Amino acid sequence: MHEIKKVNFNEGNLIETNLKRANFIGADLRVADLKESHFEGANLREANLEGANLEGANFSEANLKWSNLKEVNLKGADLREVNLEGADLEGTDLEWSNLEGANLEGANLRGANLHRANLREVNLEGADLNWAMLRGANLEEADLEGTNFTGANLEGADLIKASLDGANFRWANIKGAKFDGANLNGVNLREAHYLTFDQLSKMVTIQPTKNHC
């Protein structure tokens, strides 16, 4: 493993660089050009990548916990099984990115672009997706407990069998979104746009398990 703790690559050019399993804890990579670089299994906990170009980069199984990814270009990036717990992705471009199985618990994704992103089986528990673009996104079997989708665009999104306990869809655009088998418990759909009876009829309410003495 490369040991590169707290290094400063601010505005650096690292296009197509191989940094697999490197240690970038607390590194400064603001505005760096890291297009199509390889960070598989790398540790970037608390790293600052604000404004960086990471288009097409591979971060599969990397640790980006509590990192700063505001306004980053992650279009088409491979983020499978990545740890983004508590990360700041406000305004980040994640269009067509693959986040299958990623951990985004408590992450800030306000205004992020997740158009056509693959979020299958992702953990977005308690995440903030206010006014995010999720048109056509795949959220099948995702953990969306307590997730805030206020004003988000979920037109045509796939939320089949997702856990929505306590999720907030107020003012969200859910036109054509698929909720088949999704958990309806505690969901706020008040003032959600284009909500239909057909969508509601395909949701399920899971009763809490009773303990028997």
Side-chain angles (χ1 to χ4, degrees):
M1 178 184 287
H2 302 295
E3 194 76 13
I4 319 176
K5 289 184 181 179
K6 296 185 178 179
V7 70
N8 188 338
F9 282 120
N10 192 345
E11 299 186 29
N13 186 337
L14 295 167
I15 294 175
E16 298 181 5
T17 303
N18 183 355
L19 296 162
K20 295 179 181 179
R21 305 195 181 282
N23 191 343
F24 274 85
I25 294 175
D28 185 351
L29 293 155
R30 286 173 295 167
V31 201
D33 194 345
L34 296 153
K35 184 177 181 180
E36 298 181 9
S37 292
H38 290 266
F39 289 91
E40 294 98 306
N43 189 353
L44 292 112
R45 182 168 55 86
E46 300 180 59
N48 189 350
L49 295 109
E50 185 170 354
N53 179 18
L54 297 163
E55 183 176 354
N58 191 334
F59 284 91
S60 57
E61 299 184 11
N63 181 10
L64 285 152
K65 189 174 182 179
W66 303 320
S67 57
N68 179 6
L69 292 149
K70 290 180 69 173
E71 305 290 341
V72 165
N73 178 7
L74 277 164
K75 190 173 183 178
D78 186 345
L79 296 152
R80 289 171 297 168
E81 305 290 339
V82 70
N83 184 2
L84 283 158
E85 182 182 348
D88 190 348
L89 294 119
E90 184 170 354
T92 291
D93 188 355
L94 289 149
E95 185 174 14
W96 291 103
S97 60
N98 187 354
L99 289 129
E100 184 168 356
N103 179 16
L104 287 145
E105 183 176 352
N108 175 18
L109 289 141
R110 293 175 68 94
N113 180 13
L114 289 146
H115 177 233
R116 297 287 180 183
N118 180 13
L119 295 152
R120 190 175 186 276
E121 296 184 349
V122 74
N123 178 8
L124 278 163
E125 186 175 345
D128 187 351
L129 284 116
N130 267 261
W131 308 103
M133 166 58 77
L134 291 139
R135 187 176 180 184
N138 180 6
L139 291 147
E140 186 176 348
E141 297 185 69
D143 182 354
L144 307 174
E145 293 188 21
T147 305
N148 190 353
F149 290 104
T150 300
N153 186 346
L154 289 136
E155 184 176 348
D158 183 350
L159 293 94
I160 293 173
K161 296 182 180 178
S163 176
L164 303 173
D165 196 358
N168 183 9
F169 290 91
R170 191 174 187 186
W171 303 322
N173 176 3
I174 56 173
K175 184 177 182 179
K178 299 175 184 177
F179 289 94
D180 308 39
N183 176 13
L184 185 60
N185 285 10
V187 176
N188 181 10
L189 290 161
R190 186 175 57 178
E191 299 180 84
H193 300 302
Y194 306 109
L195 174 66
T196 66
F197 177 77
D198 184 60
Q199 286 173 315
L200 284 171
S201 68
K202 291 177 179 177
M203 294 183 183
V204 297
T205 301
I206 300 173
Q207 299 298 329
T209 303
K210 294 182 179 179
N211 295 320
H212 299 281
C213 298

